Amino acid sequence: MLLPSLSCLPLETFQDEVLVLVFFCEECEMAATSATTFSVGSAISFGPKASQLPHSKPFGVRFNSKNSLANFSGLKAATFVSCESETSFMSKETAQALRSSFARKAQKPNQTQYGLQPQASFKVAILGAAGGIGQPLALLVKMSPLVSALHLYDIANVKGVAADLSHCNTPSQVLDYTGASELANCLKGVNVVVIPAGVPRKPGMTRDDLFNINANIVKTLVEAVADNCPDAFIHIISNPVNSTVPIAAEVLKQKGVYDPKKLFGVTTLDVVRANTFVAQKKNLKLIDVDVPVIGGHAGITILPLLSKTKPSVSFTDEEVKELTVRIQNAGTEVVEAKAGAGSATLSMAYAAARFVESSLRALDGDGDVYECAYVESNLTELPFFASRVKLGRKGVEALISSDLQGLTEYEQKALDALKPELKGSIEKGIAFVQKEAVSA
Ligand code: NAD
Ligand code: LMR
């Protein structure tokens, strides 16, 4: 049996395993997870480089290719392929739903156009959609079976992004909105608004150095959210998150529509990094690793609770220090590697897509959704704090306090040390909105 349109993009290959990004396989009616385990019957070749690259497992994604690989021609593969979703920002249920959403309406022979039966029902808006994060994030959200409409907004260049993305045969409709005059229409009826609009860091800058530009951008965008979709979940990505979330809260309060359960600073990337680095260090299967990361999203305010790693792992003091510092500086690691061309975009898009997916599952009634996020909190004396939260239809259903109990001495000291900086960033954000209100 031929698989005419299995789109497998090999990202990295190694001895008997190949990392793949899978979008959609019409023939076996599966796919659209960003990371999927494939059992290959035969006849897929990844070219001469297939066995030349070093053995590594960066994302714990396996392509079991003990069988011979042949005839791979770029984006096409042939012969029997069975696919089993293993690790993804999408849950198994969601991946299954995506498969079903592509079910053919009728099995007519020689029919080339398949009818789609989307199960999707949620509308997602991305503000800053033409940017480094916005574009790959839009692509990943386009793959969600839970999304019926994807509204892309930017001050420029969003038409092309939307036209491009709209050709993907996944259920959601893609609409583009450019400039302030189209913002209100972009937001009407939306369930989740994701905000990656703003400038990124260059080497030598802190996230707080972005405050002067991004504070205004976030304030303006959240004002529009308040006016047009006050019930939506709001995901703030724009830095400095430690201040932009309090800014958003203050704007929503002034508009009389603040619901603290629905405002989130996206810190998922810290968890994604912590999971990756711990799995690498301890040689663990990546899909199993879960490290809660608390505090905020800048330097020492990012506090991975390695003692709470699941599965339970023991670390030497040196390992704890090394891992903690690496997780705290991971954003800077990327900024320096990009050498002036911006900050993390692809890993951030992945992390943000995971958080969107979790939010949509919660909105859809899944009662078992937990993520770390920077939210209004009473877990410490600070008004905003990142911790694990339980998500439900109405947003944050519970803050998970147990992670903060029984901290190691190292973690407790680090928690005490981060509080003054985080407090200062929160107060700076609140003061910015209050000052603007007075001078208006
Ligand atoms: P980018 O410059 O590539 O993209 C930003 C986009 O925002 C651009 O397309 C720009 O046109 C748009 N934009 C600017 N002003 C706007 C406005 N008023 N309304 C709508 N769109 C507007 O930057 P990027 O790499 O995508 O990063 C965006 C932000 O995300 C930065 O502030 C960065 O620091 C932050 N970030 C946060 C995390 C996190 O973990 N929370 C991770 C990575 C980056
Ligand atoms: C990150 O953690 O990658 C982002 O906050 C971007 C940055 O400036 O480091």
Side-chain angles (χ1 to χ4, degrees), residues 45-300:
S45 164
F46 287 81
K49 278 187 165 176
S51 59
Q52 291 169 8
L53 290 162
H55 191 281
S56 68
K57 278 187 178 178
F59 304 121
V61 179
R62 293 195 313 277
F63 192 118
N64 300 319
S65 54
K66 290 258 190 262
N67 307 292
S68 66
L69 298 174
N71 297 336
F72 180 71
S73 57
L75 300 180
K76 288 195 176 176
T79 314
F80 172 74
V81 176
S82 79
C83 321
E84 171 201 339
S85 173
E86 191 195 54
T87 172
S88 166
F89 64 84
M90 289 183 185
S91 67
K92 276 196 174 158
E93 295 75 20
T94 300
Q96 176 59 41
L98 185 59
R99 277 198 281 284
S100 317
S101 76
F102 283 99
R104 284 177 228 170
K105 269 183 183 156
Q107 302 264 347
K108 288 185 191 153
N110 304 325
Q111 193 179 27
T112 51
Q113 293 284 326
Y114 299 137
L116 301 179
Q117 297 175 322
Q119 300 181 342
S121 56
F122 295 111
K123 295 184 177 176
V124 176
I126 300 177
L127 313 184
I133 295 166
Q135 291 199 37
L137 173 59
L139 172 61
L140 293 171
V141 173
K142 178 78 173 85
M143 288 162 61
S144 173
L146 298 172
V147 179
S148 59
L150 181 53
H151 294 190
L152 304 182
Y153 173 81
D154 206 300
I155 47 174
N157 303 329
V158 78
K159 263 200 180 337
V161 175
D164 187 356
L165 203 53
S166 71
H167 293 184
C168 297
N169 61 333
T170 59
S172 49
Q173 187 191 16
V174 182
L175 298 168
D176 64 279
Y177 303 87
T178 306
S181 63
E182 297 187 5
L183 182 55
N185 280 341
C186 167
L187 292 170
K188 291 215 165 79
V190 157
N191 305 100
V192 175
V193 182
V194 192
I195 308 186
V199 291
R201 282 200 284 164
K202 289 189 188 309
M205 293 171 79
T206 66
R207 292 175 180 82
D208 188 58
D209 290 335
L210 306 171
F211 187 98
N212 287 344
I213 299 179
N214 290 352
N216 255 316
I217 293 175
V218 170
K219 177 174 173 285
T220 308
L221 293 175
V222 174
E223 281 167 354
V225 172
D227 290 341
N228 294 289
C229 53
D231 288 333
F233 284 20
I234 308 171
H235 296 183
I236 307 278
I237 294 174
S238 316
N239 271 316
V241 167
N242 289 356
S243 301
T244 50
V245 172
I247 287 173
E250 216 52 32
V251 167
L252 294 162
K253 275 182 206 167
Q254 288 184 356
K255 291 274 187 182
V257 293
Y258 179 46
D259 182 349
K261 293 181 168 55
K262 294 185 176 175
L263 174 64
F264 306 89
V266 181
T267 58
T268 323
L269 182 54
D270 299 316
V271 175
V272 164
R273 288 167 169 159
N275 293 351
T276 303
F277 301 161
V278 166
Q280 283 170 346
K281 182 102 207 147
K282 298 307 235 179
N283 207 16
L284 296 170
K285 196 174 167 193
L286 212 146
I287 189 174
D288 295 336
V289 179
D290 187 30
V291 184
V293 182
I294 64 165
H297 179 70
I300 62 160

